[in-house]
Structure formats: C-alpha cells, structure tokens
Amino acid sequence: MSGAQPEKSRGRQGKAACALLLATSMLALLRPGLLHAQETELRGEVSESAILSDQQRKAKQLALAAQGQQAPTNAAQDDTPPRTYLPASAGAIPDDSDTNAATGSVFDPPQATDDTSTDNPPPKPRRRPSAAGQKATDQDKTKPDAKAADKAKKKKATAATTGTKAAAADDSDSAATDQEAANRRALTIDSADKQKLDLGAERTAAIEGQNKKAEDDPFAATGVKWGSFVIRPTIEQGLTATTNGDSSSAGTSALLSETALRFSAISDWRENSASIDGYGLFRETVSGYRVHDAQGRIEGQLNVDLDNELRAIAKLGYEAVPETASSPNAIAGVSTQPLRQTIDGSLGIEKAVGKMQYTLTGAVSHDFYGDAKLSDGTSLSQKDQDNTLYTATLRTGYEISPALTPFTEIEVGRRTYDQRIDNEGFERSSTRLGARAGLQLDMGEKLSGEFSAGWLREAIDDNSLEPISGATVNADLKWSPERGTTIGLTGKTTVETTTTAGESGDILYSGRLTGERQIRANLTGNAALGLDWRDYVGIDGHDRILSAEAGLTWWLNRYAGLTTRVKTEKLTSNLPGRDYTANSIYLGVKVQR
C-alpha cells in the first residue's frame, strides 16, 4: 500500500503538470486573440471579458514592478505592434509619448498607432519637448497610477460607443493634433532667446553684399585734406562772346578769355570752427574790344565758443576790384580805371539770456585807390578817395520760437578820409546813424535767413554837401520747395561815396533772385534775375540796371564738367552818357577737387 501511494501521488503530480502545461499552451494560443480584441476595442464593440483580461494584465504588471521583477517574456515579445487609442478631439488626454520615451521603462504601456498593418513601423524621431510640454510631463509623472487607470477606463468606454465613423474622425483629428504639437515644438525657449541675443541670426546675406547708401550729391567735390582743413578748389576756363566788352556806353563786341579760380576751406575742429573762401577772375581780350582786368576776394571767418554762454565771431577779408565803366566814380577818357582795394574786418560777441539774444559787432573797412592811367600814358592820382569806415551795431532779438526771432538793430559809425580836404576843396568825412527792424528765420533746409528794413543817414562834415539818407532794405533768404531745388533772395543797401564836385554820393539798392535745380545727378541748371537802383544825392539823377542769366553745368565725372551760361544786362539812366546794353554767352570747362 505504501508503494502504491507514492505512485498515486506521482500520478496526480504528473496529471497536474500536464494540466498546467495544457493551460499554458491554451494561454499561448489565446494570446493573439486577446491582442486582436485589444485592436478591435478601438474600432468596434469589445467584450467585457477582454476588458477585464487587459485590466488584470496591467494590474499584474504593476504588481511585478512593485516587487522588482520583470514582465513575462511573452508580454515583451509580441508579434504585433502595440496600439493605443487616439482621442476624437485635441487635448482630450495628455500627450504621454514624450514622457514614455524619456523614461524608457519596459513596464510602460505599449505604444500604438492607427496603422492597421501588421508590419513594425519605423521608430519616430524623438523631439525635444518644449518648456510647457516638459512641465506638463513632470506633473503627469506625479499623478497616481489609479487616477490614470480611471481615465483609461473612461476613455475605453467612450471609444466603445463611437463606432467606425468616430474612429475615422479620430484619425483626422489626431493628425491635426500631431501637426499642432510639432508646430509648438518647432520654436523652443532656447531658440527664441538665442534669436534675441544674436542679432545676426536673422541676416540673410553677408555685409559685403548689402547695397551701399547713395550719396546726396555724387558729383560734389571731395576736397583735399590739409592739416585740420578740407580745401575744395575749382578752376574754370572758357571763352565769352559779348556785345559790350567793358559794359559801358562806348563798349563794343569782343571775344574774351575768362579764367575763374575759386576755393573754400572748412575746418574739422571738434568745438570751434573756421572757414576761408576766395575767388579770382581774370579776363583778357582774344579779339575785338580791348579788355584787361583782374579782380578777386578772400575772406576768413572764425567762430569761438567762450565761457558764460558767449560766442565770438571774427571776420577778416581783402578785395581788389577795378572801378567799372558804369561806376559813378569812373573817369572818362582813361585806358585803365583805378583799382579799388578794400580791407575789412569785424568782431562780434553773441549772448543769449533766456529767450533774449544780444549781439554787439564792431567793424572796420578801409578803401584805398590806385592811380588811373590816361589815354596819353600819364597817371591820375585817386588818393583823395581813400577812407576808413568804423561802425558799431547792437542787435536785440527775442526768440518767439526756434524758427522765428524778430530783432532790432541800431548802428552808429564814423567815416574818415585820409585826406581831410579833397582835391576839390570839400571836407568829406561824415557821421553815420541807422536803425533797422527785421525777422530771422530758421526752418532748417526748408527756409532760412533774415530780412530787415530801416533808415540810414550819413551826415557829411562839409555843410555845403547834402547828407546821404534814405530807406534801407537787406535780405538773405534761402528757400527749398523740394529736394534738389534752391531759391535764393538777396538784398543789400550800400552807401557809395564820391569826390565829384557838388555831389555827396548815392545810395545803391541791389536785389537778386536766384534759382538752382539739380535736373539729374550730373546736370545742374541755374538762373538769376537782378534789379539795381541807384539814387544820387545832391543832383536829380538815378540809374536802373536790369539783368538776367541762365546756365547749365554737365559733369562728365566727379572732377570735370562742361558749363555754359547766357546773360543780358541793361542800364537805363536819366544822366547823359550812361546807358548801355550788354549780351554775352560763355562756354567753358570746370575742374574741381
């Protein structure tokens, strides 16, 4: 009996082993069906037993994970790729794909796609999560597993009722959700910060490839650097054909060679400034009426900023001009008119107190004359015309706005002759007094300058001579109606002295309206209209001079160009022997640096 019992025990153990092997085999055979049921639960109705089996499997995996054991081999080695449910609307469940990829645990639920094929799909590239996505992932990691299981149970129950039509909508919605997530991840916080810090990140071309800024005037003189000054010289050479060689009542036609030298020098100092301007004009007869004259001027200006909001302006100039044949002091019957030379200088102090502006200027001008050469070869001295004028001017202005400053001026002065009594026996020294009121404009490049009007009186020491007095008008305005166009208006009142017996002199009013237009970058046009009125004192006489001029300059390059101009001038006087008309045309070459 004892021997039979062990055999019976071994038989029962063998039967149990066989039953266990049979159950294992059945489980292995049923495994594909369970997986198929897991797939069909996303597409149609799912039995309750399949849901329970899946929940039991997940619970078993969680229990094994808690005990530190591995999942069954058959669970890790499936022939069919795992599937997960994609929600019908974006944001229905958190996106745990990045979290699962980051953890990489074998106990994570299998990942699924909505691809129904049995082939293993290629692995998707891992994306770097954004800051918001990473934060959401960290929060999902901290949630209890029970809560996640409840959510999964609810979602599976919802999926069981949607049917095939809802699954198709889920596929399109999930694709849109994936695209939106990809767009969100395209710009990370690090890349955005890098673009803000790296200003060159948005450059699309090299710096060398960028277009250079066009110059305002590509044909302007570049200048020559000399010390702390920039010098811009200009030389102009041409021929003038005129109907009146010396602009006199007796002048005839001539062909003249005309040479003009001009230059300007401007300092490049940091605080103060200085400038020098000059010109020289030489005319010589090629054929026709004999003309031989030369004239020129040079003038310098220095601006210095002093303490206590004071500003000093100093000027110094020299001019040499022969008397014109139409001048009131012209001598008839001479081969060469006397040369008048002028040395002038001024010093002004400006100060601003609030909106009040004060300027005190002292000026000195000395004129001395050369001898006139007569037709018989002798000379006639003009020393009795040498004189010096001293003036002091006080200007007071009030700044209504930065663009408008009305002002008043008071001028006092004294004119003294080197020869106290001239060759005709008159004492011509005089005392000067004047007053003006005007407006100063400063509207930038659009409109700038000033104009004034007033009265001037110069009383001569010799009581037999009438004082020179009259209204004064002065203006210097520049207006730019549009870019490339400049309109200028200048006006000046000048007292002209004389040594003619019985005459005190005259007052000359000169006005010029000029226009300049840049037609093209290398083509500039200019025009001018002039009106002069001379009122004699001591006699009933006056002169009127009308003039008009138009010209063009065509630049071949930045350093050379062709220039031409036409001019007409007509003087009409009630005094005998003074009327004349002169028409001329000029063609030349201009060179600048």
Side-chain angles (χ1 to χ4, degrees), residues 408-427:
T408 59
E409 282 186 351
I410 298 177
E411 178 184 356
V412 294
R414 175 70 179 175
R415 186 189 300 273
T416 61
Y417 279 79
D418 294 352
Q419 186 174 329
R420 191 174 66 89
I421 299 176
D422 64 10
N423 297 335
E424 302 294 333
F426 294 94
E427 188 175 356

Side-chain angles (χ1 to χ4, degrees), residues 14 61 65 86 135 139-140 146 159 189 211 225 231 235 253 271 360 372 430 466 492 508 563:
Q61 289 178 354
L86 297 177
K135 183 177 180 181
Q139 292 177 355
D140 292 340
I189 295 177
N211 294 329
K225 185 73 173 178
I231 303 176
I235 301 175
S253 61
E271 296 179 357
L360 179 61
S430 59
E466 183 179 348
K492 188 177 181 181
L508 176 64
T563 181

Side-chain angles (χ1 to χ4, degrees), residues 56-213:
Q56 291 173 359
R57 181 179 56 81
K58 289 185 178 181
K60 185 177 180 180
Q61 289 178 354
L62 293 174
L64 292 175
Q67 296 176 3
Q69 298 180 3
Q70 294 183 353
T73 306
N74 58 356
Q77 298 177 353
D78 291 336
D79 296 335
T80 305
R83 306 290 177 176
T84 58
Y85 168 70
L86 297 177
S89 62
I93 60 172
D95 186 7
D96 296 337
S97 60
D98 292 339
T99 306
N100 296 334
T103 59
S105 175
V106 298
F107 304 109
D108 295 336
Q111 304 296 322
T113 64
D114 46 2
D115 186 8
T116 58
S117 64
T118 58
D119 298 334
N120 293 330
K124 295 184 179 180
R126 296 176 59 185
R127 297 189 182 96
R128 180 179 179 180
S130 63
Q134 185 64 34
K135 183 177 180 181
T137 303
D138 296 339
Q139 292 177 355
D140 292 340
K141 288 181 179 179
T142 60
K143 294 179 181 179
D145 295 336
K147 187 176 181 180
D150 294 339
K151 288 185 178 180
K153 188 181 294 183
K154 292 179 180 179
K155 293 167 186 174
K156 289 179 180 180
T158 305
T161 61
T162 55
T164 305
K165 294 182 179 180
D170 293 344
D171 293 341
S172 60
D173 292 339
S174 63
T177 304
D178 293 341
Q179 182 64 32
E180 183 180 356
N183 294 337
R184 288 198 304 266
R185 295 189 184 100
L187 180 61
T188 63
I189 295 177
D190 295 338
S191 62
D193 293 341
K194 185 177 180 181
Q195 288 181 2
K196 291 179 181 179
L197 296 176
D198 186 8
L199 299 180
E202 298 180 358
R203 292 179 181 172
T204 58
I207 296 177
E208 292 78 8
Q210 301 295 330
N211 294 329
K212 296 182 179 179
K213 182 180 179 181

Side-chain angles (χ1 to χ4, degrees), residues 66-396:
Q67 296 176 3
Q69 298 180 3
Q70 294 183 353
T73 306
N74 58 356
Q77 298 177 353
D78 291 336
D79 296 335
T80 305
R83 306 290 177 176
T84 58
Y85 168 70
L86 297 177
S89 62
I93 60 172
D95 186 7
D96 296 337
S97 60
D98 292 339
T99 306
N100 296 334
T103 59
S105 175
V106 298
F107 304 109
D108 295 336
Q111 304 296 322
T113 64
D114 46 2
D115 186 8
T116 58
S117 64
T118 58
D119 298 334
N120 293 330
K124 295 184 179 180
R126 296 176 59 185
R127 297 189 182 96
R128 180 179 179 180
S130 63
Q134 185 64 34
K135 183 177 180 181
T137 303
D138 296 339
Q139 292 177 355
D140 292 340
K141 288 181 179 179
T142 60
K143 294 179 181 179
D145 295 336
K147 187 176 181 180
D150 294 339
K151 288 185 178 180
K153 188 181 294 183
K154 292 179 180 179
K155 293 167 186 174
K156 289 179 180 180
T158 305
T161 61
T162 55
T164 305
K165 294 182 179 180
D170 293 344
D171 293 341
S172 60
D173 292 339
S174 63
T177 304
D178 293 341
Q179 182 64 32
E180 183 180 356
N183 294 337
R184 288 198 304 266
R185 295 189 184 100
L187 180 61
T188 63
I189 295 177
D190 295 338
S191 62
D193 293 341
K194 185 177 180 181
Q195 288 181 2
K196 291 179 181 179
L197 296 176
D198 186 8
L199 299 180
E202 298 180 358
R203 292 179 181 172
T204 58
I207 296 177
E208 292 78 8
Q210 301 295 330
N211 294 329
K212 296 182 179 179
K213 182 180 179 181
E215 298 183 53
D216 292 338
D217 188 357
F219 293 91
T222 58
V224 179
K225 185 73 173 178
W226 184 60
S228 60
F229 285 83
V230 178
I231 303 176
R232 293 178 173 85
T234 301
I235 301 175
E236 188 175 323
Q237 176 63 53
L239 296 174
T240 299
T242 178
T243 60
N244 193 329
D246 61 353
S247 298
S248 65
S249 58
T252 58
S253 61
L255 180 63
L256 308 176
S257 172
E258 187 170 317
T259 303
L261 304 176
R262 295 180 178 86
F263 76 93
S264 65
I266 302 176
S267 68
D268 57 357
W269 303 341
R270 178 174 300 179
E271 296 179 357
N272 305 320
S273 63
S275 63
I276 303 175
D277 297 286
Y279 81 92
L281 179 62
F282 308 90
R283 299 199 310 164
E284 188 70 34
T285 298
V286 175
S287 64
Y289 190 80
R290 185 175 179 275
V291 175
H292 174 76
D293 61 33
Q295 64 182 29
R297 178 173 176 82
I298 183 172
E299 180 179 2
Q301 179 173 330
L302 175 64
N303 302 327
V304 179
D305 292 332
L306 305 175
D307 295 336
N308 299 323
E309 298 184 356
L310 292 175
R311 186 166 179 258
I313 302 175
K315 296 181 181 180
L316 182 63
Y318 169 77
E319 183 179 43
V321 178
E323 287 286 3
T324 62
S326 58
S327 171
N329 294 323
I331 302 174
V334 299
S335 58
T336 303
Q337 293 290 340
L339 180 66
R340 177 176 57 85
Q341 302 179 70
T342 303
I343 300 176
D344 54 66
S346 64
L347 178 61
I349 301 295
E350 295 182 353
K351 183 175 178 59
V353 180
K355 292 188 176 182
M356 297 297 298
Q357 297 179 359
Y358 303 96
T359 303
L360 179 61
T361 304
V364 179
S365 178
H366 178 66
D367 295 334
F368 54 98
Y369 293 78
D371 297 339
K373 295 182 179 180
L374 302 178
S375 302
D376 57 3
T378 60
S379 298
L380 179 62
S381 176
Q382 299 294 311
K383 294 293 184 182
D384 58 345
Q385 295 193 61
D386 297 351
N387 66 88
T388 304
L389 176 63
Y390 305 91
T391 59
T393 305
L394 176 62
R395 171 183 287 197
T396 303

Side-chain angles (χ1 to χ4, degrees), residues 428-498:
R428 295 193 172 269
S429 296
S430 59
T431 301
R432 188 183 183 104
L433 181 62
R436 289 175 288 274
L439 181 65
Q440 183 177 352
L441 304 174
D442 187 3
M443 301 180 184
E445 297 180 357
K446 197 68 177 178
L447 179 62
S448 62
E450 66 178 45
F451 64 91
S452 63
W455 190 268
L456 179 64
R457 185 177 189 272
E458 193 165 322
I460 303 175
D461 292 347
D462 198 316
N463 295 329
S464 61
L465 298 177
E466 183 179 348
I468 303 173
S469 62
T472 62
V473 178
N474 296 278
D476 187 4
L477 297 172
K478 290 186 181 299
W479 173 46
S480 180
E482 62 181 5
R483 189 174 182 85
T485 301
T486 303
I487 306 297
L489 175 63
T490 59
K492 188 177 181 181
T493 302
T494 306
V495 174
E496 295 180 329
T497 61
T498 182

Side-chain angles (χ1 to χ4, degrees), residues 31 51-52 117 190 236 291 402 420 442 513 515 523 535 538 540:
R31 178 63 177 171
I51 297 175
L52 294 176
S117 64
D190 295 338
E236 188 175 323
V291 175
R420 191 174 66 89
D442 187 3
L513 178 63
L523 182 62
D535 189 10
D540 184 16

